[in-house]
């Protein structure tokens, strides 16, 4: 596999904008038919976008968090499923940046620059909570490991070249094992049946005695032993996807009202787009989208500032800024995608138009990491100066 190598932030944004327009054209049909976006992901890989966070000293563009968030927002405006697939990819690139040895970084950054994709095998079902990870990483006398467990919600795994697996070693500490998708004992099952984000293939990964060389395992538990931005960056990208879904839904609603909706007979106007009450509602929805985008940019700048001077205080500030962005983006995505029908009228509810894909994507994606707890952490800090906890979900 070969891929273009993006030079800088400006090129990354231009490529993302171009691909978003390309992906937008087929988004409705892909969702209706549940046609998995393999060709689109190959385009994404070949474009070089998946390698934009590779450090400059390894040949990458090393783009800012502000640029990375905008890439995801642009993709989210086009296709809420497609935008979700590489989210974990970048989260596990960050693990290599922070915890990888020089040799591990050299190997995996070369893989990324060549267009290789990371999936994820992180979450598990049926445990006490989301941090109840039961997948085991058992060491062998020769320094290698064996993986055993079952993962769910494994977005990106079906399309991946490498699948990062979150597991506990004998000391019960968290590690990430980077496993090639064709490894013996590894099975990826396309059994995702969510009401939204239907083409993410966020199904099951089974690990039945999967062999892992020692140099493909990283000590993820060390990530959280000091100030860190792992969770902030991961949540920033979730926020960007929600903000993108909201903007995409608003744009589609406006296009529908301009071209297909009829004015209410009491309004006395000739076109729905001239109806004062609709104009008012679109203004309200635009405020929600603008607020989401503004908080997203503020959060991304906070992450960039913290990366340049990482302390407990700057890391906490970045996490809280991202938490605020995630709350607003989630609210905007659900409200705007629901209001699409309110402003467009009865015809917009036709199944054949599939406008409900925006709401289904928003409703599904915003279930990641409950916003009620983000609000809690914001309140605790404002009232008592309590820093947010160090974990990968904030």
């Amino acid at each position: 596999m070969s891929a273009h190598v993006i030079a800088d932030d400006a090129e990354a944004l231009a490529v993302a904008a171009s691909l978003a327009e390309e992906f937008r054209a087929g988004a409705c049909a892909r969702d209706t038919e549940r046609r998995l976006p393999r060709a689109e992901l190959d385009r994404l890989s070949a474009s070089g976008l998946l390698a934009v966070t590779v450090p400059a000293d390894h040949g990458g563009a090393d783009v800012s968090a502000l640029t990375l968030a905008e890439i995801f927002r642009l993709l989210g405006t086009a296709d809420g499923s497609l935008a979700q697939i590489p989210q974990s990819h970048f989260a596990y690139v960050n693990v290599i940046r922070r915890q990888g040895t020089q040799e591990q970084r050299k190997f995996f950054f070369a893989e990324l620059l060549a267009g290789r994709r990371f999936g994820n095998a992180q979450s598990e079902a049926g445990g006490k909570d989301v941090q109840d990870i039961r997948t085991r990483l058992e060491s062998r006398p020769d320094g290698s490991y064996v993986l055993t467990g079952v993962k769910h919600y494994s977005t990106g795994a079906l399309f991946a070249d490498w699948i990062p697996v979150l597991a506990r070693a004998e000391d019960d500490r968290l590690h990430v094992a980077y496993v090639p998708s064709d490894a013996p004992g590894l099975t990826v099952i396309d059994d995702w049946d969510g009401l939204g984000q239907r083409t993410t293939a966020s199904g099951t990964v089974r690990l039945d005695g999967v062999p892992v060389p020692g140099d493909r395992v990283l000590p993820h538990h060390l990530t959280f032993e000091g100030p860190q931005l792992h969770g902030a960056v991961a949540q920033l990208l979730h926020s960007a996807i929600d903000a993108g879904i909201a903007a995409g839904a608003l744009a589609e609603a406006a296009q529908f009202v301009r071209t297909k909706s009829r004015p209410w007979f009491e309004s006395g106007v000739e076109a729905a787009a001239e109806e004062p009450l609709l104009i008012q509602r679109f203004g309200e929805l635009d405020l929600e989208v603008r607020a989401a985008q503004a908080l997203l940019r503020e959060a991304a700048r906070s992450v960039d500032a913290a990366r340049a001077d990482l302390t407990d205080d700057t890391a906490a500030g970045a996490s809280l800024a991202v938490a605020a962005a995630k709350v607003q983006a989630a609210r905007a995505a659900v409200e705007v995608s629901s209001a699409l029908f309110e402003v467009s009228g009865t015809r917009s509810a036709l199944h054949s138009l599939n406008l409900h894909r925006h709401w289904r994507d928003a409703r599904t994606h915003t279930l990641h990491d409950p916003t009620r707890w983000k609000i809690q952490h914001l309140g605790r800090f404002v009232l008592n100066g309590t820093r947010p906890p160090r974990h990968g979900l904030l």
Side-chain angles (χ1 to χ4, degrees):
M1 182 183 291
S2 62
H4 173 68
V5 177
I6 288 174
D8 53 29
D9 292 64
E11 184 184 4
L13 290 172
V15 170
S18 176
L19 285 179
E21 287 307 306
E22 180 182 323
F23 297 158
R24 192 185 321 278
C28 180
R30 284 192 297 273
D31 180 89
T32 298
E33 301 164 13
R34 198 180 177 270
R35 174 160 44 86
L36 299 182
R38 296 182 186 276
E40 288 76 17
L41 286 168
D42 286 344
R43 289 279 293 122
L44 198 61
S45 290
S47 76
L49 275 183
L50 297 182
V52 294
T53 58
V54 170
D57 59 359
H58 286 268
D62 200 8
V63 302
S64 66
L66 183 63
T67 292
L68 188 62
E70 180 63 6
I71 289 169
F72 272 80
R73 192 194 70 82
L74 287 167
L75 294 175
T77 67
D79 186 334
S81 284
L82 188 53
Q84 174 62 25
I85 292 171
Q87 190 271 341
S88 291
H89 169 97
F90 284 98
Y92 285 104
V93 173
N94 279 346
V95 174
I96 295 169
R97 288 185 60 138
R98 186 171 174 90
Q99 300 303 339
T101 65
Q102 181 59 29
E103 285 304 309
Q104 287 170 329
R105 290 196 292 267
K106 180 180 179 181
F107 174 80
F108 280 114
F109 291 154
E111 287 285 281
L112 293 166
L113 290 169
R116 304 286 193 272
R117 295 192 290 266
F118 290 167
N120 98 88
Q122 176 173 294
S123 296
E124 299 180 10
K128 177 183 177 182
D129 54 44
V130 296
Q131 294 195 331
D132 183 13
I133 303 298
R134 289 156 294 160
T135 296
R136 307 308 298 187
L137 186 68
E138 184 178 352
S139 61
R140 287 174 163 177
D142 64 0
S144 66
Y145 296 88
V146 175
L147 271 172
T148 304
V150 180
K151 299 289 188 175
H152 298 83
Y153 314 116
S154 302
T155 304
L158 191 68
F159 314 108
D161 301 289
W162 292 90
I163 301 177
V165 180
L166 194 62
R168 295 192 184 276
E170 284 98 339
D171 59 5
D172 213 36
R173 291 181 172 179
L174 284 175
H175 292 70
V176 178
Y178 289 74
V179 181
S181 58
D182 60 355
L186 186 150
T187 306
V188 180
I189 305 168
D190 179 20
D191 57 359
W192 171 243
D193 65 348
L195 67 88
Q197 295 195 306
R198 298 182 66 233
T199 61
T200 59
S202 301
T204 301
V205 171
R206 295 189 178 277
L207 306 145
D208 298 312
V210 177
V212 184
D215 61 357
R216 297 293 180 261
V217 176
L218 280 73
H220 191 34
H221 60 94
L222 296 178
T223 299
F224 307 103
E225 292 187 1
Q228 52 82 34
L229 297 171
H230 179 81
V233 172
Q235 291 295 304
L236 181 71
L237 302 187
H238 281 310
S239 305
I241 293 166
D242 288 340
I245 291 172
L250 184 62
E252 185 133 27
Q255 175 67 10
F256 193 95
V257 169
R258 284 193 299 266
T259 60
K260 296 182 175 65
S261 295
R262 297 182 297 181
W264 184 243
F265 71 94
E266 293 177 281
S267 67
V269 298
E270 295 298 317
E274 299 172 0
E275 186 180 315
L277 296 181
L278 276 181
I279 291 171
Q280 177 72 19
R281 186 61 175 133
F282 269 96
E284 293 169 349
L285 297 175
D286 185 53
L287 281 174
E288 293 297 319
V289 173
R290 285 175 182 265
Q293 293 172 350
L295 286 172
L296 179 69
R297 289 190 294 269
E298 179 186 332
R301 292 189 183 103
S302 294
V303 170
D304 283 327
R307 184 174 287 157
D309 179 24
L310 188 60
T311 67
D312 283 333
D313 287 335
T314 61
S319 290
L320 292 168
V322 172
K326 181 65 169 67
V327 171
Q328 177 59 29
R331 287 175 174 173
V334 173
E335 180 179 355
V336 175
S337 60
S338 177
L340 184 157
F341 303 99
E342 168 198 335
V343 297
S344 300
T346 306
R347 185 180 176 189
S348 65
L350 293 177
H351 184 70
S352 59
L353 296 177
N354 197 22
L355 294 177
H356 48 73
R357 72 185 185 279
H358 299 289
W359 181 85
R360 289 187 289 102
D361 286 348
R363 185 63 282 174
T364 301
H365 184 256
T366 55
L367 298 178
H368 280 88
D369 319 313
T371 56
R372 62 185 181 272
W373 276 97
K374 299 184 188 306
I375 295 170
Q376 276 283 311
H377 292 306
L378 289 166
R380 290 173 182 180
F381 184 79
V382 170
L383 195 59
N384 299 313
T386 304
R387 293 191 188 110
R390 293 173 181 160
H391 58 63
L393 303 177
L394 188 67

